[in-house]
Amino acid sequence: QQQVKQSPQSLIVQKGGISIINCAYENTAFDYFPWYQQFPGKGPALLIAIRPDVSEKKEGRFTISFNKSAKQFSLHIMDSQPGDSATYFCAASMGYSTLTFGKGTMLLVSP
Amino acid sequence: NAGVTQTPKFRVLKTGQSMTLLCAQDMNHEYMYWYRQDPGMGLRLIHYSVGEGTTAKGEVPDGYNVSRLKKQNFLLGLESAAPSQTSVYFCASSYSMGTGATETQYFGPGTRLLVL
């Protein structure tokens, strides 16, 4: 049973547009929600993370929105750039558990 | 610092052959992980270790074995490779595991394995 559902699988956005990737989880015990970014041929790297005590976290052009009641969180990339083209993974964990990753979203930002 | 390194970068095996993937980290992290990445499947945890001499099963451990004899190294073994093990394997490490700031996982560059 997949515990973190990520959508869409792929996304094409024009340069300057807003990219939005959504994740939903089932386990209400999850208390840490990171996003990882992976460029082709590289390993994933932490992009931004949020905890359920806040509804939004912003770092530069990247924002996580968190809706605890809906058990959803999303990544917004403002002013998307071709250099943002990558695969994005949401994940979740609870307490001292390992991370559970979503299946990933391949983002292409067209020039 | 090199961070997390993986050896080899690419390998082709025949069905039934064995091999060991090596992961090394120079960040003095306690926790290490092995994942496999397949198209449309995301990152799936194979095995992990919470410290030298310890290992634990992840989501997809069958067909793999691991060892953590030294804190900085985490080995992933395939005793009898199968075509279903064709994948990209990533090693990661973290200072801790949980909900603190130190739980960030640092990934290696990956090993591409093709089993014929």
mmCIF file with all atom_site columns, all heavy atoms in Angstrom, chain A residues 60-84:
data_model
loop_
_atom_site.group_PDB
_atom_site.id
_atom_site.type_symbol
_atom_site.label_atom_id
_atom_site.label_alt_id
_atom_site.label_comp_id
_atom_site.label_asym_id
_atom_site.label_entity_id
_atom_site.label_seq_id
_atom_site.pdbx_PDB_ins_code
_atom_site.Cartn_x
_atom_site.Cartn_y
_atom_site.Cartn_z
_atom_site.occupancy
_atom_site.B_iso_or_equiv
_atom_site.pdbx_formal_charge
_atom_site.auth_seq_id
_atom_site.auth_comp_id
_atom_site.auth_asym_id
_atom_site.auth_atom_id
_atom_site.pdbx_PDB_model_num
ATOM 1   N N   . GLY A 1 60 ? 13.151 30.964 -1.201  1.00 0.00 ? 60 GLY A N   1
ATOM 2   C CA  . GLY A 1 60 ? 13.359 31.497 -2.550  1.00 0.00 ? 60 GLY A CA  1
ATOM 3   C C   . GLY A 1 60 ? 12.118 31.311 -3.402  1.00 0.00 ? 60 GLY A C   1
ATOM 4   O O   . GLY A 1 60 ? 11.022 31.720 -3.007  1.00 0.00 ? 60 GLY A O   1
ATOM 5   N N   . ARG A 1 61 ? 12.279 30.662 -4.560  1.00 0.00 ? 61 ARG A N   1
ATOM 6   C CA  . ARG A 1 61 ? 11.141 30.448 -5.448  1.00 0.00 ? 61 ARG A CA  1
ATOM 7   C C   . ARG A 1 61 ? 10.338 29.198 -5.085  1.00 0.00 ? 61 ARG A C   1
ATOM 8   O O   . ARG A 1 61 ? 9.339  28.903 -5.744  1.00 0.00 ? 61 ARG A O   1
ATOM 9   C CB  . ARG A 1 61 ? 11.641 30.358 -6.884  1.00 0.00 ? 61 ARG A CB  1
ATOM 10  C CG  . ARG A 1 61 ? 12.275 31.651 -7.400  1.00 0.00 ? 61 ARG A CG  1
ATOM 11  C CD  . ARG A 1 61 ? 12.684 31.520 -8.876  1.00 0.00 ? 61 ARG A CD  1
ATOM 12  N NE  . ARG A 1 61 ? 13.755 30.554 -9.075  1.00 0.00 ? 61 ARG A NE  1
ATOM 13  C CZ  . ARG A 1 61 ? 13.605 29.365 -9.643  1.00 0.00 ? 61 ARG A CZ  1
ATOM 14  N NH1 . ARG A 1 61 ? 12.417 28.967 -10.058 1.00 0.00 ? 61 ARG A NH1 1
ATOM 15  N NH2 . ARG A 1 61 ? 14.642 28.557 -9.792  1.00 0.00 ? 61 ARG A NH2 1
ATOM 16  N N   . PHE A 1 62 ? 10.801 28.450 -4.098  1.00 0.00 ? 62 PHE A N   1
ATOM 17  C CA  . PHE A 1 62 ? 10.167 27.181 -3.740  1.00 0.00 ? 62 PHE A CA  1
ATOM 18  C C   . PHE A 1 62 ? 9.332  27.333 -2.462  1.00 0.00 ? 62 PHE A C   1
ATOM 19  O O   . PHE A 1 62 ? 9.813  27.860 -1.467  1.00 0.00 ? 62 PHE A O   1
ATOM 20  C CB  . PHE A 1 62 ? 11.229 26.095 -3.532  1.00 0.00 ? 62 PHE A CB  1
ATOM 21  C CG  . PHE A 1 62 ? 12.057 25.841 -4.763  1.00 0.00 ? 62 PHE A CG  1
ATOM 22  C CD1 . PHE A 1 62 ? 13.226 26.548 -4.985  1.00 0.00 ? 62 PHE A CD1 1
ATOM 23  C CD2 . PHE A 1 62 ? 11.664 24.910 -5.701  1.00 0.00 ? 62 PHE A CD2 1
ATOM 24  C CE1 . PHE A 1 62 ? 13.992 26.327 -6.125  1.00 0.00 ? 62 PHE A CE1 1
ATOM 25  C CE2 . PHE A 1 62 ? 12.414 24.664 -6.833  1.00 0.00 ? 62 PHE A CE2 1
ATOM 26  C CZ  . PHE A 1 62 ? 13.586 25.384 -7.049  1.00 0.00 ? 62 PHE A CZ  1
ATOM 27  N N   . THR A 1 63 ? 8.099  26.884 -2.516  1.00 0.00 ? 63 THR A N   1
ATOM 28  C CA  . THR A 1 63 ? 7.194  26.970 -1.377  1.00 0.00 ? 63 THR A CA  1
ATOM 29  C C   . THR A 1 63 ? 6.511  25.626 -1.165  1.00 0.00 ? 63 THR A C   1
ATOM 30  O O   . THR A 1 63 ? 6.047  25.007 -2.129  1.00 0.00 ? 63 THR A O   1
ATOM 31  C CB  . THR A 1 63 ? 6.115  28.046 -1.607  1.00 0.00 ? 63 THR A CB  1
ATOM 32  O OG1 . THR A 1 63 ? 6.739  29.317 -1.773  1.00 0.00 ? 63 THR A OG1 1
ATOM 33  C CG2 . THR A 1 63 ? 5.162  28.117 -0.423  1.00 0.00 ? 63 THR A CG2 1
ATOM 34  N N   . ILE A 1 64 ? 6.463  25.193 0.081   1.00 0.00 ? 64 ILE A N   1
ATOM 35  C CA  . ILE A 1 64 ? 5.646  24.036 0.438   1.00 0.00 ? 64 ILE A CA  1
ATOM 36  C C   . ILE A 1 64 ? 4.382  24.561 1.114   1.00 0.00 ? 64 ILE A C   1
ATOM 37  O O   . ILE A 1 64 ? 4.452  25.359 2.059   1.00 0.00 ? 64 ILE A O   1
ATOM 38  C CB  . ILE A 1 64 ? 6.345  23.084 1.415   1.00 0.00 ? 64 ILE A CB  1
ATOM 39  C CG1 . ILE A 1 64 ? 7.632  22.517 0.836   1.00 0.00 ? 64 ILE A CG1 1
ATOM 40  C CG2 . ILE A 1 64 ? 5.405  21.925 1.765   1.00 0.00 ? 64 ILE A CG2 1
ATOM 41  C CD1 . ILE A 1 64 ? 8.353  21.575 1.801   1.00 0.00 ? 64 ILE A CD1 1
ATOM 42  N N   . SER A 1 65 ? 3.240  24.073 0.632   1.00 0.00 ? 65 SER A N   1
ATOM 43  C CA  . SER A 1 65 ? 1.979  24.340 1.306   1.00 0.00 ? 65 SER A CA  1
ATOM 44  C C   . SER A 1 65 ? 1.502  23.055 1.954   1.00 0.00 ? 65 SER A C   1
ATOM 45  O O   . SER A 1 65 ? 1.545  21.989 1.325   1.00 0.00 ? 65 SER A O   1
ATOM 46  C CB  . SER A 1 65 ? 0.935  24.834 0.295   1.00 0.00 ? 65 SER A CB  1
ATOM 47  O OG  . SER A 1 65 ? 1.330  26.060 -0.254  1.00 0.00 ? 65 SER A OG  1
ATOM 48  N N   . PHE A 1 66 ? 1.057  23.144 3.201   1.00 0.00 ? 66 PHE A N   1
ATOM 49  C CA  . PHE A 1 66 ? 0.698  21.947 3.948   1.00 0.00 ? 66 PHE A CA  1
ATOM 50  C C   . PHE A 1 66 ? -0.731 22.081 4.475   1.00 0.00 ? 66 PHE A C   1
ATOM 51  O O   . PHE A 1 66 ? -1.075 23.083 5.100   1.00 0.00 ? 66 PHE A O   1
ATOM 52  C CB  . PHE A 1 66 ? 1.680  21.748 5.105   1.00 0.00 ? 66 PHE A CB  1
ATOM 53  C CG  . PHE A 1 66 ? 1.451  20.484 5.881   1.00 0.00 ? 66 PHE A CG  1
ATOM 54  C CD1 . PHE A 1 66 ? 1.925  19.282 5.409   1.00 0.00 ? 66 PHE A CD1 1
ATOM 55  C CD2 . PHE A 1 66 ? 0.753  20.494 7.078   1.00 0.00 ? 66 PHE A CD2 1
ATOM 56  C CE1 . PHE A 1 66 ? 1.718  18.109 6.112   1.00 0.00 ? 66 PHE A CE1 1
ATOM 57  C CE2 . PHE A 1 66 ? 0.542  19.337 7.791   1.00 0.00 ? 66 PHE A CE2 1
ATOM 58  C CZ  . PHE A 1 66 ? 1.026  18.138 7.309   1.00 0.00 ? 66 PHE A CZ  1
ATOM 59  N N   . ASN A 1 67 ? -1.556 21.086 4.199   1.00 0.00 ? 67 ASN A N   1
ATOM 60  C CA  . ASN A 1 67 ? -2.933 21.066 4.666   1.00 0.00 ? 67 ASN A CA  1
ATOM 61  C C   . ASN A 1 67 ? -3.131 19.821 5.513   1.00 0.00 ? 67 ASN A C   1
ATOM 62  O O   . ASN A 1 67 ? -3.347 18.721 5.000   1.00 0.00 ? 67 ASN A O   1
ATOM 63  C CB  . ASN A 1 67 ? -3.900 21.060 3.472   1.00 0.00 ? 67 ASN A CB  1
ATOM 64  C CG  . ASN A 1 67 ? -5.352 21.190 3.894   1.00 0.00 ? 67 ASN A CG  1
ATOM 65  O OD1 . ASN A 1 67 ? -5.749 20.756 4.982   1.00 0.00 ? 67 ASN A OD1 1
ATOM 66  N ND2 . ASN A 1 67 ? -6.163 21.794 3.037   1.00 0.00 ? 67 ASN A ND2 1
ATOM 67  N N   . LYS A 1 68 ? -3.038 20.006 6.832   1.00 0.00 ? 68 LYS A N   1
ATOM 68  C CA  . LYS A 1 68 ? -3.075 18.861 7.737   1.00 0.00 ? 68 LYS A CA  1
ATOM 69  C C   . LYS A 1 68 ? -4.428 18.150 7.694   1.00 0.00 ? 68 LYS A C   1
ATOM 70  O O   . LYS A 1 68 ? -4.490 16.919 7.697   1.00 0.00 ? 68 LYS A O   1
ATOM 71  C CB  . LYS A 1 68 ? -2.776 19.327 9.160   1.00 0.00 ? 68 LYS A CB  1
ATOM 72  C CG  . LYS A 1 68 ? -2.547 18.207 10.151  1.00 0.00 ? 68 LYS A CG  1
ATOM 73  C CD  . LYS A 1 68 ? -2.086 18.764 11.483  1.00 0.00 ? 68 LYS A CD  1
ATOM 74  C CE  . LYS A 1 68 ? -1.797 17.653 12.479  1.00 0.00 ? 68 LYS A CE  1
ATOM 75  N NZ  . LYS A 1 68 ? -1.293 18.205 13.765  1.00 0.00 ? 68 LYS A NZ  1
ATOM 76  N N   . SER A 1 69 ? -5.509 18.909 7.648   1.00 0.00 ? 69 SER A N   1
ATOM 77  C CA  . SER A 1 69 ? -6.834 18.285 7.688   1.00 0.00 ? 69 SER A CA  1
ATOM 78  C C   . SER A 1 69 ? -7.097 17.454 6.433   1.00 0.00 ? 69 SER A C   1
ATOM 79  O O   . SER A 1 69 ? -7.746 16.411 6.484   1.00 0.00 ? 69 SER A O   1
ATOM 80  C CB  . SER A 1 69 ? -7.925 19.348 7.851   1.00 0.00 ? 69 SER A CB  1
ATOM 81  O OG  . SER A 1 69 ? -7.890 20.255 6.763   1.00 0.00 ? 69 SER A OG  1
ATOM 82  N N   . ALA A 1 70 ? -6.570 17.910 5.301   1.00 0.00 ? 70 ALA A N   1
ATOM 83  C CA  . ALA A 1 70 ? -6.752 17.170 4.049   1.00 0.00 ? 70 ALA A CA  1
ATOM 84  C C   . ALA A 1 70 ? -5.678 16.124 3.841   1.00 0.00 ? 70 ALA A C   1
ATOM 85  O O   . ALA A 1 70 ? -5.758 15.340 2.886   1.00 0.00 ? 70 ALA A O   1
ATOM 86  C CB  . ALA A 1 70 ? -6.776 18.144 2.871   1.00 0.00 ? 70 ALA A CB  1
ATOM 87  N N   . LYS A 1 71 ? -4.689 16.115 4.694   1.00 0.00 ? 71 LYS A N   1
ATOM 88  C CA  . LYS A 1 71 ? -3.549 15.198 4.566   1.00 0.00 ? 71 LYS A CA  1
ATOM 89  C C   . LYS A 1 71 ? -2.898 15.342 3.192   1.00 0.00 ? 71 LYS A C   1
ATOM 90  O O   . LYS A 1 71 ? -2.672 14.358 2.471   1.00 0.00 ? 71 LYS A O   1
ATOM 91  C CB  . LYS A 1 71 ? -3.968 13.758 4.857   1.00 0.00 ? 71 LYS A CB  1
ATOM 92  C CG  . LYS A 1 71 ? -4.365 13.529 6.318   1.00 0.00 ? 71 LYS A CG  1
ATOM 93  C CD  . LYS A 1 71 ? -4.656 12.081 6.632   1.00 0.00 ? 71 LYS A CD  1
ATOM 94  C CE  . LYS A 1 71 ? -5.969 11.651 6.049   1.00 0.00 ? 71 LYS A CE  1
ATOM 95  N NZ  . LYS A 1 71 ? -6.340 10.260 6.434   1.00 0.00 ? 71 LYS A NZ  1
ATOM 96  N N   . GLN A 1 72 ? -2.613 16.606 2.847   1.00 0.00 ? 72 GLN A N   1
ATOM 97  C CA  . GLN A 1 72 ? -1.988 16.891 1.563   1.00 0.00 ? 72 GLN A CA  1
ATOM 98  C C   . GLN A 1 72 ? -0.903 17.937 1.745   1.00 0.00 ? 72 GLN A C   1
ATOM 99  O O   . GLN A 1 72 ? -0.988 18.801 2.627   1.00 0.00 ? 72 GLN A O   1
ATOM 100 C CB  . GLN A 1 72 ? -3.034 17.414 0.570   1.00 0.00 ? 72 GLN A CB  1
ATOM 101 C CG  . GLN A 1 72 ? -4.104 16.385 0.200   1.00 0.00 ? 72 GLN A CG  1
ATOM 102 C CD  . GLN A 1 72 ? -5.167 16.967 -0.717  1.00 0.00 ? 72 GLN A CD  1
ATOM 103 O OE1 . GLN A 1 72 ? -5.262 18.178 -0.887  1.00 0.00 ? 72 GLN A OE1 1
ATOM 104 N NE2 . GLN A 1 72 ? -5.972 16.097 -1.306  1.00 0.00 ? 72 GLN A NE2 1
ATOM 105 N N   . PHE A 1 73 ? 0.093  17.875 0.895   1.00 0.00 ? 73 PHE A N   1
ATOM 106 C CA  . PHE A 1 73 ? 1.094  18.924 0.845   1.00 0.00 ? 73 PHE A CA  1
ATOM 107 C C   . PHE A 1 73 ? 1.561  19.076 -0.594  1.00 0.00 ? 73 PHE A C   1
ATOM 108 O O   . PHE A 1 73 ? 1.491  18.122 -1.374  1.00 0.00 ? 73 PHE A O   1
ATOM 109 C CB  . PHE A 1 73 ? 2.257  18.671 1.815   1.00 0.00 ? 73 PHE A CB  1
ATOM 110 C CG  . PHE A 1 73 ? 3.011  17.391 1.604   1.00 0.00 ? 73 PHE A CG  1
ATOM 111 C CD1 . PHE A 1 73 ? 4.306  17.418 1.100   1.00 0.00 ? 73 PHE A CD1 1
ATOM 112 C CD2 . PHE A 1 73 ? 2.460  16.154 1.932   1.00 0.00 ? 73 PHE A CD2 1
ATOM 113 C CE1 . PHE A 1 73 ? 5.019  16.250 0.939   1.00 0.00 ? 73 PHE A CE1 1
ATOM 114 C CE2 . PHE A 1 73 ? 3.162  14.982 1.769   1.00 0.00 ? 73 PHE A CE2 1
ATOM 115 C CZ  . PHE A 1 73 ? 4.457  15.025 1.272   1.00 0.00 ? 73 PHE A CZ  1
ATOM 116 N N   . SER A 1 74 ? 1.982  20.274 -0.925  1.00 0.00 ? 74 SER A N   1
ATOM 117 C CA  . SER A 1 74 ? 2.325  20.533 -2.318  1.00 0.00 ? 74 SER A CA  1
ATOM 118 C C   . SER A 1 74 ? 3.572  21.403 -2.405  1.00 0.00 ? 74 SER A C   1
ATOM 119 O O   . SER A 1 74 ? 3.889  22.154 -1.483  1.00 0.00 ? 74 SER A O   1
ATOM 120 C CB  . SER A 1 74 ? 1.157  21.195 -3.042  1.00 0.00 ? 74 SER A CB  1
ATOM 121 O OG  . SER A 1 74 ? 0.814  22.406 -2.425  1.00 0.00 ? 74 SER A OG  1
ATOM 122 N N   . LEU A 1 75 ? 4.242  21.265 -3.529  1.00 0.00 ? 75 LEU A N   1
ATOM 123 C CA  . LEU A 1 75 ? 5.418  22.073 -3.838  1.00 0.00 ? 75 LEU A CA  1
ATOM 124 C C   . LEU A 1 75 ? 5.039  23.042 -4.955  1.00 0.00 ? 75 LEU A C   1
ATOM 125 O O   . LEU A 1 75 ? 4.518  22.621 -5.990  1.00 0.00 ? 75 LEU A O   1
ATOM 126 C CB  . LEU A 1 75 ? 6.578  21.184 -4.283  1.00 0.00 ? 75 LEU A CB  1
ATOM 127 C CG  . LEU A 1 75 ? 7.849  21.906 -4.726  1.00 0.00 ? 75 LEU A CG  1
ATOM 128 C CD1 . LEU A 1 75 ? 8.527  22.574 -3.528  1.00 0.00 ? 75 LEU A CD1 1
ATOM 129 C CD2 . LEU A 1 75 ? 8.822  20.943 -5.415  1.00 0.00 ? 75 LEU A CD2 1
ATOM 130 N N   . HIS A 1 76 ? 5.303  24.313 -4.717  1.00 0.00 ? 76 HIS A N   1
ATOM 131 C CA  . HIS A 1 76 ? 5.074  25.340 -5.727  1.00 0.00 ? 76 HIS A CA  1
ATOM 132 C C   . HIS A 1 76 ? 6.423  25.928 -6.124  1.00 0.00 ? 76 HIS A C   1
ATOM 133 O O   . HIS A 1 76 ? 7.198  26.330 -5.244  1.00 0.00 ? 76 HIS A O   1
ATOM 134 C CB  . HIS A 1 76 ? 4.174  26.453 -5.178  1.00 0.00 ? 76 HIS A CB  1
ATOM 135 C CG  . HIS A 1 76 ? 2.797  26.002 -4.831  1.00 0.00 ? 76 HIS A CG  1
ATOM 136 N ND1 . HIS A 1 76 ? 1.665  26.549 -5.393  1.00 0.00 ? 76 HIS A ND1 1
ATOM 137 C CD2 . HIS A 1 76 ? 2.351  25.032 -4.001  1.00 0.00 ? 76 HIS A CD2 1
ATOM 138 C CE1 . HIS A 1 76 ? 0.591  25.958 -4.908  1.00 0.00 ? 76 HIS A CE1 1
ATOM 139 N NE2 . HIS A 1 76 ? 0.979  25.029 -4.064  1.00 0.00 ? 76 HIS A NE2 1
ATOM 140 N N   . ILE A 1 77 ? 6.680  25.955 -7.419  1.00 0.00 ? 77 ILE A N   1
ATOM 141 C CA  . ILE A 1 77 ? 7.887  26.585 -7.927  1.00 0.00 ? 77 ILE A CA  1
ATOM 142 C C   . ILE A 1 77 ? 7.457  27.816 -8.704  1.00 0.00 ? 77 ILE A C   1
ATOM 143 O O   . ILE A 1 77 ? 6.832  27.713 -9.770  1.00 0.00 ? 77 ILE A O   1
ATOM 144 C CB  . ILE A 1 77 ? 8.699  25.632 -8.829  1.00 0.00 ? 77 ILE A CB  1
ATOM 145 C CG1 . ILE A 1 77 ? 8.986  24.313 -8.091  1.00 0.00 ? 77 ILE A CG1 1
ATOM 146 C CG2 . ILE A 1 77 ? 10.007 26.302 -9.252  1.00 0.00 ? 77 ILE A CG2 1
ATOM 147 C CD1 . ILE A 1 77 ? 9.666  23.262 -8.964  1.00 0.00 ? 77 ILE A CD1 1
ATOM 148 N N   . MET A 1 78 ? 7.747  28.970 -8.150  1.00 0.00 ? 78 MET A N   1
ATOM 149 C CA  . MET A 1 78 ? 7.373  30.228 -8.795  1.00 0.00 ? 78 MET A CA  1
ATOM 150 C C   . MET A 1 78 ? 8.412  30.592 -9.845  1.00 0.00 ? 78 MET A C   1
ATOM 151 O O   . MET A 1 78 ? 9.585  30.238 -9.716  1.00 0.00 ? 78 MET A O   1
ATOM 152 C CB  . MET A 1 78 ? 7.278  31.340 -7.750  1.00 0.00 ? 78 MET A CB  1
ATOM 153 C CG  . MET A 1 78 ? 6.462  30.977 -6.518  1.00 0.00 ? 78 MET A CG  1
ATOM 154 S SD  . MET A 1 78 ? 4.755  30.579 -6.907  1.00 0.00 ? 78 MET A SD  1
ATOM 155 C CE  . MET A 1 78 ? 4.167  32.214 -7.329  1.00 0.00 ? 78 MET A CE  1
ATOM 156 N N   . ASP A 1 79 ? 7.976  31.323 -10.868 1.00 0.00 ? 79 ASP A N   1
ATOM 157 C CA  . ASP A 1 79 ? 8.897  31.781 -11.917 1.00 0.00 ? 79 ASP A CA  1
ATOM 158 C C   . ASP A 1 79 ? 9.799  30.621 -12.370 1.00 0.00 ? 79 ASP A C   1
ATOM 159 O O   . ASP A 1 79 ? 11.033 30.711 -12.337 1.00 0.00 ? 79 ASP A O   1
ATOM 160 C CB  . ASP A 1 79 ? 9.739  32.943 -11.389 1.00 0.00 ? 79 ASP A CB  1
ATOM 161 C CG  . ASP A 1 79 ? 10.608 33.588 -12.452 1.00 0.00 ? 79 ASP A CG  1
ATOM 162 O OD1 . ASP A 1 79 ? 10.247 33.521 -13.640 1.00 0.00 ? 79 ASP A OD1 1
ATOM 163 O OD2 . ASP A 1 79 ? 11.670 34.134 -12.086 1.00 0.00 ? 79 ASP A OD2 1
ATOM 164 N N   . SER A 1 80 ? 9.180  29.532 -12.750 1.00 0.00 ? 80 SER A N   1
ATOM 165 C CA  . SER A 1 80 ? 9.932  28.332 -13.118 1.00 0.00 ? 80 SER A CA  1
ATOM 166 C C   . SER A 1 80 ? 10.951 28.612 -14.227 1.00 0.00 ? 80 SER A C   1
ATOM 167 O O   . SER A 1 80 ? 10.669 29.358 -15.175 1.00 0.00 ? 80 SER A O   1
ATOM 168 C CB  . SER A 1 80 ? 8.968  27.224 -13.573 1.00 0.00 ? 80 SER A CB  1
ATOM 169 O OG  . SER A 1 80 ? 8.094  26.865 -12.525 1.00 0.00 ? 80 SER A OG  1
ATOM 170 N N   . GLN A 1 81 ? 12.137 28.007 -14.079 1.00 0.00 ? 81 GLN A N   1
ATOM 171 C CA  . GLN A 1 81 ? 13.239 28.209 -15.024 1.00 0.00 ? 81 GLN A CA  1
ATOM 172 C C   . GLN A 1 81 ? 13.654 26.881 -15.641 1.00 0.00 ? 81 GLN A C   1
ATOM 173 O O   . GLN A 1 81 ? 13.475 25.824 -15.025 1.00 0.00 ? 81 GLN A O   1
ATOM 174 C CB  . GLN A 1 81 ? 14.420 28.836 -14.298 1.00 0.00 ? 81 GLN A CB  1
ATOM 175 C CG  . GLN A 1 81 ? 14.145 30.205 -13.689 1.00 0.00 ? 81 GLN A CG  1
ATOM 176 C CD  . GLN A 1 81 ? 13.801 31.232 -14.754 1.00 0.00 ? 81 GLN A CD  1
ATOM 177 O OE1 . GLN A 1 81 ? 14.498 31.358 -15.775 1.00 0.00 ? 81 GLN A OE1 1
ATOM 178 N NE2 . GLN A 1 81 ? 12.717 31.971 -14.538 1.00 0.00 ? 81 GLN A NE2 1
ATOM 179 N N   . PRO A 1 82 ? 14.227 26.912 -16.831 1.00 0.00 ? 82 PRO A N   1
ATOM 180 C CA  . PRO A 1 82 ? 14.700 25.651 -17.439 1.00 0.00 ? 82 PRO A CA  1
ATOM 181 C C   . PRO A 1 82 ? 15.620 24.859 -16.515 1.00 0.00 ? 82 PRO A C   1
ATOM 182 O O   . PRO A 1 82 ? 15.631 23.627 -16.548 1.00 0.00 ? 82 PRO A O   1
ATOM 183 C CB  . PRO A 1 82 ? 15.422 26.142 -18.697 1.00 0.00 ? 82 PRO A CB  1
ATOM 184 C CG  . PRO A 1 82 ? 14.703 27.400 -19.069 1.00 0.00 ? 82 PRO A CG  1
ATOM 185 C CD  . PRO A 1 82 ? 14.355 28.050 -17.754 1.00 0.00 ? 82 PRO A CD  1
ATOM 186 N N   . GLY A 1 83 ? 16.385 25.548 -15.696 1.00 0.00 ? 83 GLY A N   1
ATOM 187 C CA  . GLY A 1 83 ? 17.278 24.884 -14.750 1.00 0.00 ? 83 GLY A CA  1
ATOM 188 C C   . GLY A 1 83 ? 16.554 24.144 -13.642 1.00 0.00 ? 83 GLY A C   1
ATOM 189 O O   . GLY A 1 83 ? 17.166 23.368 -12.907 1.00 0.00 ? 83 GLY A O   1
ATOM 190 N N   . ASP A 1 84 ? 15.233 24.358 -13.530 1.00 0.00 ? 84 ASP A N   1
ATOM 191 C CA  . ASP A 1 84 ? 14.429 23.630 -12.545 1.00 0.00 ? 84 ASP A CA  1
ATOM 192 C C   . ASP A 1 84 ? 13.981 22.273 -13.080 1.00 0.00 ? 84 ASP A C   1
ATOM 193 O O   . ASP A 1 84 ? 13.394 21.473 -12.338 1.00 0.00 ? 84 ASP A O   1
ATOM 194 C CB  . ASP A 1 84 ? 13.187 24.445 -12.170 1.00 0.00 ? 84 ASP A CB  1
ATOM 195 C CG  . ASP A 1 84 ? 13.513 25.758 -11.487 1.00 0.00 ? 84 ASP A CG  1
ATOM 196 O OD1 . ASP A 1 84 ? 14.545 25.836 -10.802 1.00 0.00 ? 84 ASP A OD1 1
ATOM 197 O OD2 . ASP A 1 84 ? 12.737 26.727 -11.667 1.00 0.00 ? 84 ASP A OD2 1
#
